[in-house]
Amino acid sequence: LRSFSRLSLAFTPKQNTKHTTSRFLHGKRRKSNTNKKTTFSMSSSTTTDTELALDALQLNEPRFLELLEKLIGESRFVQNTGVGTAFVPEEDRVVAHVLKCLDPFKVENGGKLIVERKTYVPGRSNVIIRLPGKGSEQLSFVGSHLDVVPADPESWNVDPFKLTIDGDKLYGRGTTDCLGHVALMTTLFTQLSEIDGFELNTSLSCVFIASEEANGPGIGVDGLVENGELDHCKSGPVVWVDCADSQPCIGTAGAITWDLKCQGHRFHSGLPHKGINAIELAMEATTKLQQEFYTKLPPCDLEKEYKFITSSTMKPTQIRCAPGGLNQIPPDATVSGDIRLTPFYDVEEVKSFLEQTVEEMNKKVGELPTRGPWSKFIIDDPKNPSGGEKIVGKLSIEWGEHLLTGIACDLTSPAFTKMCDSIQEVKGKAEPYSLTGSLPLVHDLKSAGFDIQLIGFGLMSTYHADDEHCLLSDMKDAASILAKLIKKFH
């Protein structure tokens, strides 16, 4: 599926099956009931008691809020900036509350749920919940994670580590990303388990993962995949529950961080012709790299088809240079930035292309544009001006550890159609979207053969933000949407 040219040719994006979303743009919102536990008598019609139960299911609001309050209360301890940094999460603090909520509904306690705890690093568990069906089909909900990004209480108007309810708004670190989803999915599975006469043809599973917000190889979903714990999910769609705005996210971008290192020559700024200004070299080299990037990776039709707001981008975001006085030509500088790459271009091919571009600039560094008549990137050695030795500016590009690959969801998948239909029934319309933000792990799962579909019910406007919050009404709608989706797989 990947079609890439080499350096001399324009990049050709991958092709994909055409799709239509217009059929999801109409419909009426459905109203809901508030049953805590529902019993259905057998019906002689074609609608089964299970289908009636799923149609009637509404979020158990007290149970959801009680659990969410406990999870947000642990958010201080599950902040994550990576192994070996200031914030290493203790996901087991969240897991303990989830397991306690699930306990009465487990098979061993007379319920229907099979609950497993998978731990690869002490204190940092994952949770797998299963609700077996009669048939061999499978529908899985994966991706809701047990860690959060850090929060600075001084920047918030409420305590980030305590659930604050203000009308429809639920404030606290993790309410949108992603402890709100953990509380939602836990509550939903307990409600499914307690419905009398409830029996699905399709087996359901839900997976809560550790170590999503920062690096931690082998701790979270990658460890689960490596140990075969998600093999059962391959027999059906995987709904990744970690997006926002209650609409299908059909595409994400890859994220590549880069450092362009520029070596010059320090000298007195009153004699600029005897130095090589590393900042000026960095400016010209960055400009050249961006020009080549946008020439070789132009906007493509698939980006429009998938409703990406922007095409692939490469931009500098930081610059630093050697310490020194304002009257000194800087001897080295580093420009750092990131690339957001739509999933129709290949990460490794783009990296190789940019490395080749840097090599070509090094060969012709003296031909790069300069600032004024006395700025040069190749100079005579000031210590031996008559010796014929030259000092030459040098460039190198290095890649950061933060590397994610985007995905384009399969829009021919029945799961996509059914998810849009379910959203339309509850929200009135389905509006699939793509974004050049990035999600970790999902590309690896898709490459491993999983049918990945993306959805989430928090607010994009508060993702990783101060005063993060979600809406209770959105979470109530989410329970209805997911119940209708499950019904369509029954």
Side-chain angles (χ1 to χ4, degrees):
L1 292 177
R2 301 188 186 280
S3 176
F4 256 76
S5 65
R6 292 299 173 185
L7 185 62
S8 60
L9 299 176
F11 284 83
T12 303
K14 296 182 293 179
Q15 297 302 309
N16 204 343
T17 304
K18 293 196 70 174
H19 71 284
T20 303
T21 57
S22 59
R23 64 182 296 264
F24 306 120
L25 301 183
H26 305 284
K28 295 182 179 179
R29 189 182 179 88
R30 298 174 65 106
K31 296 185 179 179
S32 60
N33 300 318
T34 56
N35 297 330
K36 290 184 178 179
K37 183 172 180 179
T38 310
T39 302
F40 291 90
S41 60
M42 294 301 292
S43 169
S44 60
S45 70
T46 57
T47 302
T48 67
D49 55 334
T50 293
E51 290 169 335
L52 289 170
L54 290 169
D55 268 334
L57 188 145
Q58 300 298 317
L59 181 68
N60 186 323
E61 185 177 327
R63 186 181 298 168
F64 167 74
L65 290 175
E66 180 183 358
L67 178 57
L68 182 61
E69 182 177 28
K70 293 175 181 177
L71 301 191
I72 301 303
E74 301 289 359
S75 59
R76 181 191 306 274
F77 306 103
V78 293
Q79 299 175 94
N80 191 2
T81 53
V83 175
T85 68
F87 295 105
V88 178
E90 305 169 53
E91 285 96 342
D92 277 4
R93 299 180 72 113
V94 170
V95 168
H97 296 294
V98 171
L99 295 181
K100 185 176 181 180
C101 183
L102 293 170
D103 192 63
F105 306 96
K106 292 162 59 176
V107 168
E108 51 265 44
N109 294 324
K112 301 175 184 177
L113 300 180
I114 300 171
V115 180
E116 300 176 277
R117 181 178 189 164
K118 301 296 179 180
T119 308
Y120 307 112
V121 170
R124 307 195 63 185
S125 298
N126 307 271
V127 177
I128 301 175
I129 311 167
R130 301 192 197 198
L131 180 56
K134 296 184 294 182
S136 60
E137 299 299 315
Q138 176 75 36
L139 176 62
S140 303
F141 301 94
V142 183
S144 296
H145 52 91
L146 305 161
D147 57 339
V148 301
V149 296
D152 177 9
E154 297 298 320
S155 302
W156 285 55
N157 292 308
V158 297
D159 185 346
F161 307 122
K162 178 182 177 182
L163 180 64
T164 299
I165 302 176
D166 181 9
D168 195 32
K169 296 179 179 179
L170 308 177
Y171 286 92
R173 177 56 89 215
T175 48
T176 272
D177 182 31
C178 192
L179 298 179
H181 288 128
V182 173
L184 168 70
M185 298 307 300
T186 301
T187 303
L188 175 63
F189 268 69
T190 63
Q191 289 185 247
L192 295 175
S193 177
E194 70 183 351
I195 297 173
D196 290 339
F198 182 82
E199 189 174 31
L200 286 171
N201 294 316
T202 298
S203 295
L204 303 179
S205 66
C206 179
V207 182
F208 300 139
I209 60 175
S211 191
E212 191 271 353
E213 292 291 4
N215 67 302
I219 297 174
V221 71
D222 51 345
L224 292 170
V225 172
E226 183 178 348
N227 287 277
E229 300 294 349
L230 299 187
D231 286 353
H232 67 283
C233 299
K234 288 185 178 180
S235 60
V238 173
V239 180
W240 189 268
V241 187
D242 183 23
C243 292
D245 292 345
S246 303
Q247 294 292 343
C249 178
I250 55 178
T252 68
I256 313 165
T257 56
W258 53 270
D259 296 307
L260 180 64
K261 297 188 174 183
C262 308
Q263 181 180 333
H265 182 71
R266 191 195 302 272
F267 215 82
H268 195 290
S269 65
L271 300 168
H273 60 294
K274 293 183 177 292
I276 296 177
N277 192 320
I279 292 179
E280 291 186 352
L281 178 57
M283 293 164 66
E284 297 301 337
T286 301
T287 297
K288 177 68 172 176
L289 272 181
Q290 287 184 285
Q291 289 173 342
E292 292 296 321
F293 179 91
Y294 289 113
T295 298
K296 302 298 183 182
L297 287 85
C300 66
D301 290 341
L302 282 171
E303 291 163 352
K304 295 180 182 179
E305 185 177 350
Y306 268 77
K307 303 181 185 295
F308 275 96
I309 298 172
T310 69
S311 59
S312 299
T313 59
M314 177 183 187
K315 59 274 179 192
T317 55
Q318 294 180 2
I319 185 168
R320 56 193 182 274
C321 68
L326 294 177
N327 61 350
Q328 289 180 301
I329 301 293
D332 61 73
T334 300
V335 178
S336 300
D338 83 343
I339 293 169
R340 296 294 169 141
L341 196 67
T342 60
F344 315 112
Y345 296 105
D346 180 77
V347 168
E348 293 303 321
E349 290 280 358
V350 171
K351 287 170 59 178
S352 177
F353 160 69
L354 292 173
E355 289 167 0
Q356 292 177 52
T357 302
V358 170
E359 289 179 11
E360 291 299 317
M361 282 194 286
N362 273 324
K363 294 175 182 178
K364 301 178 181 180
V365 69
E367 299 178 15
L368 288 174
T370 54
R371 307 299 176 98
W374 305 110
S375 178
K376 306 292 182 185
F377 300 138
I378 299 177
I379 61 171
D380 294 325
D381 186 348
K383 295 180 180 179
N384 186 18
S386 61
E389 294 293 326
K390 300 290 185 181
I391 297 177
V392 181
K394 294 181 181 179
L395 303 165
S396 63
I397 191 167
E398 298 179 0
W399 308 106
E401 293 182 0
H402 183 71
L403 193 156
L404 301 173
T405 303
I407 70 166
C409 295
D410 180 6
L411 305 187
T412 66
S413 166
F416 172 71
T417 302
K418 292 175 181 179
M419 185 161 63
C420 287
D421 287 341
S422 301
I423 293 169
Q424 176 183 294
E425 290 175 31
V426 176
K427 290 289 191 181
K429 60 181 178 179
E431 298 180 307
Y433 70 95
S434 295
L435 74 166
T436 47
S438 303
L439 285 174
L441 313 172
V442 290
H443 175 267
D444 293 339
L445 288 177
K446 191 170 186 293
S447 298
F450 293 85
D451 175 12
I452 301 291
Q453 302 293 328
L454 309 175
I455 189 67
F457 305 98
L459 297 174
M460 187 70 71
S461 60
T462 72
Y463 244 78
H464 293 193
D466 295 337
D467 295 330
E468 177 185 348
H469 61 276
C470 67
L471 301 181
L472 177 58
S473 58
D474 283 342
M475 291 299 176
K476 292 166 71 173
D477 282 348
S480 299
I481 290 169
L482 295 173
K484 293 181 186 304
L485 177 61
I486 292 168
K487 173 189 171 183
K488 296 179 191 304
F489 279 92
H490 171 60

